[in-house]
Amino acid sequence: MLTKQTTGQAWKQIKGSITDVKGFTTAGAHCGLKRKRLDIGAIFCDVPANAAGVFTLNQIQAAPLKVTKESLAHSNGKLQAVLVNSGNANACTGASGLVDAYEMRALAAAKFAVPEEMVAVTSTGVIGEKMPMEKVRSGIEDLVLSKESTPFAEAILTTDTGTKEVCVEVVIDQKTVRIAGVAKGSGMIHPNMATMLGFITTDANIETAALKRALAKATDETFNRITVDGDTSTNDMVLVLASGLADNQPLDETHPDWANFYGALSACAESLAKKIAKDGEGATKLIEVQVAGAVSDEEAGKVAKAIVGSDLVKTAAYGKDGNWGRIICAIGYSGCTLDPDTIDIAIGPYETLVQSEPVVVDDAAISKYMEAETIVIKADLHQGQGVGKAWGCDLTYDYVRINAGYRT
Amino acid sequence: MLTKQTTGQAWKQIKGSITDVKGFTTAGAHCGLKRKRLDIGAIFCDVPANAAGVFTLNQIQAAPLKVTKESLAHSNGKLQAVLVNSGNANACTGASGLVDAYEMRALAAAKFAVPEEMVAVTSTGVIGEKMPMEKVRSGIEDLVLSKESTPFAEAILTTDTGTKEVCVEVVIDQKTVRIAGVAKGSGMIHPNMATMLGFITTDANIETAALKRALAKATDETFNRITVDGDTSTNDMVLVLASGLADNQPLDETHPDWANFYGALSACAESLAKKIAKDGEGATKLIEVQVAGAVSDEEAGKVAKAIVGSDLVKTAAYGKDGNWGRIICAIGYSGCTLDPDTIDIAIGPYETLVQSEPVVVDDAAISKYMEAETIVIKADLHQGQGVGKAWGCDLTYDYVRINAGYRT
């Protein structure tokens, strides 16, 4: 499933990850922030990369976000290294948390022999606990860069059940350009990227300003359209680094291949977003909501998110119950323009409501359909041309189990 | 715990329910909308009562809400009978649902020998299924009015685990005035009264316009401050009926005892709201959030609701985990005016964050405190004088169980 911009699809997905992009290597190690699994990692670019980031809209922002924003500001949008740790968010850690984040940046800069303002720092994990800096220091020391991406992809995980990687290829100026991404996130996922980290690398030659606009738009249509539990975290961040080594003519919106580049970037982001939604804490399935007929794409997205964010829709999905009443209820409180008498709803291939009149449905068939790993819910408001999608997951016993005992 | 307006407390809570108020009788019966339990009921007033209602803000509104609003409009704010059924919400039932709601009103009017516009109709239960009118017709026939309130209180329940009733007494013009309430609601509870029904009776002599203003204000500070799962239903309604038989001088804001009357009404509403929150689907405890130091009472209420509505705070409450990081995270995305560096948080008597610096806490002691039936979370933003409360419940395995299998 692709966002609108990717129709025509000039790009193709290939096997690979962020290190299969010219210029990039990564590292991952264990330093004791988590009991056993890898918990510290880095991305390195052979050359200063044009870079852009999007950050949580939560007013409480973790220390590493402040440091990373400062790096991007001081370097005029260039990064050469990204340091990541999991197991501790370094959020709500007061003044000493900021000192720790700066030290992490300085240590990574020294380790990789780049200026401090070329280093981004990102953290994910428990909020409100002081970063155990002795472990972090030895962890940074242990990092060894290579073309293997798995240790890094593992080192950024928290309650995720698996790594999330994607790689796509697109032709720009007859040059093969790659865009690849790796992400983590499985709880506290909601508008604006709660406890989600995403790292995208590309070898495209693209100016920072254009890269920033493309990332903002792609994020709006993908990462910001997923929800696991309605919480927006203090640590979310998506960074994109462009090495420029593909040697195409500099990309911006006036370049003839811009749509292809944007389509590939957006597809990469959408793939990661869906992997995150599907791996929602305790989830057994992905829910994709497709809304049409809204007065704008923005409103369609808002309706789609209201549906996919409803705890009642999510538990119904878990229970394989085609309870469309909960779907229309969510549409009703989404706050969007609608006519209560012109709504269509379908669950997979089954229409359940047409022009707001219930259709006699085969509950057993719908229930059978809902056993699938991906459930598609469609709604048409018949108010305009706006379309939009959102992704989420079912709400299960395991969500409660994971979150009732996260710290213990 | 009382809302601000009730300080001074001229009223007292007494044992009793809505039939202990002069002029009111009720009935409850079983007609087969639910398998075994009572599922149809009525409130009757010996005289035309001054009445006011507040209704869900969901744009999808069930048929009975339309009919009840029409009654109140046509009768100039007077009601003499309220018909209620549980087991079927008569929501999203298309044109025939409206026909059914009108028929229910007509049947109740005939049964109680009052004009149709003096009758309110309310329904709660599954959305999207046609009302089985044969059952309803025989149910209305079976209603027998009496001074016993329990059959009515039972007949309005859905997944509630028990009835919710309260009665308070207040002196107005040296006359004893009673205000009593009964409510239902345990899932789909969120801003603006999702799947919640509340019925308040009083023998106060009060004009409809003043009654309407008092109900709107009290609802804002109580019923609209509870959340179970973030969903806002199609059927919520709170009705208040005033028989005037207490024989006080007509009440409005200029009456010297107005504050006492409002305090009593608000206390009655708060008591019902807390009973609903505590009986949230699958809940094991009540969470009360008290916010101070916001720039306005409205913003304080919004912050309190964000905290009590966070799935992560709710699961932490279930797990007895004093994870204040989730609390500050919710404060951060509440959208209210704040300074990230001046926030205090306490869980019960335990301060966990002071001026945004973590306090060394005794996790075991906090966990012990969180075993209580009611957990109080306090936050001070230090931005102004605004205060506000909100109530909710923990998120448990049973919430998932109940909602994954509600229809089956």
Side-chain angles (χ1 to χ4, degrees):
Chain A
M1 302 313 241
L2 310 171
T3 56
K4 280 200 303 182
Q5 288 72 11
T6 57
T7 318
Q9 195 174 331
W11 54 268
K12 65 173 181 202
Q13 189 172 333
I14 62 168
K15 203 169 141 61
S17 187
I18 56 173
T19 48
D20 293 298
V21 175
K22 278 180 200 159
F24 293 94
T25 48
T26 62
H30 171 78
C31 71
L33 299 170
K34 292 193 296 204
R35 247 164 297 185
K36 285 187 174 173
R37 293 185 302 154
L38 303 188
D39 49 23
I40 192 158
I43 302 172
F44 182 75
C45 186
D46 296 338
V47 296
N50 286 341
V54 285
F55 302 89
T56 184
L57 294 184
N58 195 309
Q59 290 187 77
I60 309 292
Q61 302 208 345
L65 275 78
K66 296 175 190 168
V67 171
T68 296
K69 286 178 178 179
E70 191 187 293
S71 284
L72 282 166
H74 287 191
S75 68
N76 282 317
K78 289 193 184 290
L79 289 176
Q80 203 163 355
V82 180
L83 180 69
V84 192
N85 77 274
S86 57
N88 186 312
N90 196 7
C92 308
T93 39
S96 75
L98 199 58
V99 171
D100 291 342
Y102 277 119
E103 185 185 344
M104 287 171 71
R105 183 175 73 165
L107 291 170
K111 168 83 182 179
F112 299 119
V114 296
E116 289 190 24
E117 71 265 25
M118 295 286 242
V119 178
V121 179
T122 68
S123 300
T124 178
V126 177
I127 296 175
E129 290 184 5
K130 201 170 149 49
M131 187 70 83
M133 285 302 292
E134 276 177 45
K135 293 176 180 173
V136 171
R137 286 179 203 116
S138 86
I140 293 172
E141 209 43 60
D142 291 344
L143 293 174
V144 179
L145 295 168
S146 81
K147 274 289 184 186
E148 210 193 332
S149 69
T150 309
F152 176 80
E154 287 179 1
I156 67 176
L157 306 180
T158 54
T159 51
D160 305 63
T161 64
T163 60
K164 297 168 181 70
E165 301 177 86
V166 64
C167 188
V168 302
E169 232 172 51
V170 60
V171 175
I172 310 281
D173 294 335
Q174 279 113 36
K175 313 272 184 186
T176 296
V177 165
R178 283 187 179 166
I179 307 177
V182 56
K184 67 82 43 177
S186 93
M188 238 197 213
I189 305 288
H190 196 60
N192 316 310
M193 313 183 311
T195 305
M196 203 213 50
L197 297 177
F199 305 99
I200 296 173
T201 62
T202 178
D203 45 19
N205 179 12
I206 177 170
E207 285 309 310
T208 294
L211 188 61
K212 200 170 174 175
R213 289 191 297 271
L215 177 65
K217 184 170 158 64
T219 299
D220 258 359
E221 292 171 350
T222 59
F223 293 119
N224 285 349
R225 292 286 179 80
I226 56 176
T227 180
V228 169
D229 55 16
D231 273 48
T232 302
S233 120
T234 51
N235 286 56
D236 304 324
M237 187 177 337
V238 176
L239 292 174
V240 55
L241 281 73
S243 69
L245 299 176
D247 220 23
N248 56 292
Q249 291 299 309
L251 273 159
D252 69 12
E253 287 85 345
T254 64
H255 189 292
D257 289 330
W258 174 260
N260 292 340
F261 172 76
Y262 179 78
L265 176 70
S266 179
C268 182
E270 181 172 322
S271 170
L272 293 175
K274 287 166 73 170
K275 285 180 207 292
I276 290 169
K278 190 170 187 174
D279 195 23
E281 285 173 348
T284 68
K285 59 191 71 188
L286 176 70
I287 305 173
E288 171 165 310
V289 177
Q290 305 173 357
V291 173
V295 294
S296 66
D297 287 358
E298 193 193 345
E299 288 218 345
K302 214 168 140 188
V303 172
K305 278 207 78 165
I307 295 170
V308 87
S310 158
D311 278 356
L312 290 169
V313 170
K314 290 150 60 74
T315 45
Y318 178 53
K320 299 187 269 293
D321 177 2
N323 193 330
W324 56 265
R326 296 174 179 183
I327 298 169
I328 194 169
C329 182
I331 294 172
Y333 64 70
S334 67
C336 289
T337 304
L338 60 83
D339 177 342
D341 297 323
T342 63
I343 298 170
D344 300 344
I345 293 176
I347 299 172
Y350 302 99
E351 289 190 321
T352 61
L353 198 72
V354 173
Q355 293 287 313
S356 295
E357 290 281 346
V359 175
V360 176
V361 293
D362 180 345
D363 280 333
I366 294 181
S367 188
K368 180 85 188 157
Y369 166 76
M370 292 176 82
E371 290 174 5
E373 272 193 20
T374 300
I375 297 175
V376 177
I377 295 172
K378 292 182 193 175
D380 194 329
L381 307 183
H382 295 291
Q383 298 296 301
Q385 300 303 314
V387 295
K389 291 184 199 171
W391 300 272
C393 58
D394 52 345
L395 174 58
T396 70
Y397 295 110
D398 271 358
Y399 177 85
V400 177
R401 184 185 55 72
I402 291 166
N403 285 298
Y406 182 62
R407 298 203 312 179
T408 51
Chain B
M1 299 315 240
L2 310 172
T3 56
K4 279 200 302 179
Q5 287 72 10
T6 56
T7 318
Q9 195 171 330
W11 55 269
K12 65 173 182 205
Q13 188 172 333
I14 62 168
K15 203 169 142 61
S17 187
I18 56 173
T19 48
D20 295 299
V21 175
K22 279 180 201 160
F24 293 95
T25 48
T26 62
H30 172 76
C31 72
L33 298 171
K34 292 194 297 204
R35 245 163 300 183
K36 285 187 174 174
R37 293 185 302 153
L38 304 188
D39 49 21
I40 192 158
I43 302 172
F44 182 74
C45 187
D46 295 338
V47 295
N50 285 340
V54 286
F55 302 88
T56 184
L57 294 182
N58 195 310
Q59 290 186 77
I60 309 293
Q61 302 208 344
L65 275 78
K66 295 175 191 167
V67 170
T68 296
K69 286 178 179 177
E70 191 188 294
S71 285
L72 282 166
H74 287 188
S75 68
N76 282 317
K78 290 195 184 287
L79 289 176
Q80 203 164 354
V82 180
L83 180 69
V84 192
N85 77 274
S86 58
N88 186 313
N90 196 7
C92 308
T93 39
S96 76
L98 199 58
V99 171
D100 291 341
Y102 277 119
E103 184 186 344
M104 288 171 69
R105 184 174 72 164
L107 291 171
K111 167 84 182 177
F112 299 120
V114 295
E116 289 192 23
E117 71 264 25
M118 295 283 241
V119 178
V121 179
T122 67
S123 300
T124 177
V126 177
I127 296 174
E129 290 184 5
K130 200 172 150 49
M131 186 70 81
M133 285 302 291
E134 278 178 45
K135 293 176 180 174
V136 170
R137 284 180 204 116
S138 86
I140 293 172
E141 210 42 62
D142 290 344
L143 293 174
V144 180
L145 295 168
S146 80
K147 274 288 186 188
E148 210 194 332
S149 70
T150 310
F152 176 81
E154 287 178 2
I156 66 176
L157 305 180
T158 54
T159 51
D160 305 64
T161 63
T163 60
K164 298 168 180 69
E165 301 177 86
V166 65
C167 187
V168 301
E169 231 172 49
V170 62
V171 175
I172 310 280
D173 294 332
Q174 278 112 35
K175 314 271 183 186
T176 296
V177 165
R178 283 187 179 167
I179 306 177
V182 56
K184 67 80 46 177
S186 94
M188 239 196 212
I189 305 289
H190 196 60
N192 316 310
M193 314 182 310
T195 303
M196 204 213 50
L197 297 178
F199 304 100
I200 296 174
T201 61
T202 177
D203 46 18
N205 179 11
I206 177 170
E207 286 307 311
T208 295
L211 188 62
K212 199 170 174 176
R213 289 191 296 273
L215 177 66
K217 184 171 157 66
T219 299
D220 257 359
E221 293 171 350
T222 60
F223 293 119
N224 286 349
R225 292 287 180 77
I226 56 176
T227 181
V228 168
D229 56 16
D231 273 48
T232 302
S233 119
T234 51
N235 287 56
D236 304 324
M237 188 180 333
V238 176
L239 292 174
V240 56
L241 280 72
S243 70
L245 298 177
D247 219 23
N248 56 289
Q249 291 298 309
L251 274 159
D252 70 10
E253 288 85 343
T254 64
H255 190 291
D257 289 329
W258 173 260
N260 293 340
F261 172 77
Y262 179 78
L265 177 70
S266 178
C268 182
E270 181 171 321
S271 171
L272 293 175
K274 287 165 74 168
K275 286 182 208 290
I276 291 168
K278 190 168 185 174
D279 195 24
E281 284 172 347
T284 69
K285 60 192 71 189
L286 176 71
I287 306 173
E288 171 165 311
V289 177
Q290 305 173 356
V291 172
V295 295
S296 67
D297 287 358
E298 192 193 345
E299 287 218 345
K302 212 167 141 189
V303 172
K305 278 207 80 164
I307 295 170
V308 88
S310 157
D311 278 355
L312 289 169
V313 170
K314 289 150 61 73
T315 44
Y318 178 54
K320 300 188 269 292
D321 177 1
N323 193 332
W324 57 265
R326 296 175 179 182
I327 298 170
I328 194 169
C329 181
I331 293 172
Y333 65 69
S334 67
C336 289
T337 305
L338 59 82
D339 176 343
D341 297 323
T342 64
I343 297 168
D344 300 344
I345 292 175
I347 299 172
Y350 302 99
E351 290 190 319
T352 61
L353 198 72
V354 174
Q355 292 287 312
S356 296
E357 291 281 345
V359 174
V360 176
V361 292
D362 180 346
D363 280 333
I366 293 181
S367 188
K368 180 84 186 157
Y369 165 76
M370 293 176 80
E371 290 174 5
E373 271 192 20
T374 299
I375 298 174
V376 176
I377 295 172
K378 293 182 192 174
D380 193 329
L381 307 183
H382 294 291
Q383 297 298 299
Q385 301 302 314
V387 296
K389 291 183 200 172
W391 298 274
C393 59
D394 52 345
L395 174 58
T396 70
Y397 294 110
D398 272 357
Y399 177 84
V400 177
R401 184 185 54 72
I402 291 166
N403 285 297
Y406 182 61
R407 297 203 312 178
T408 52

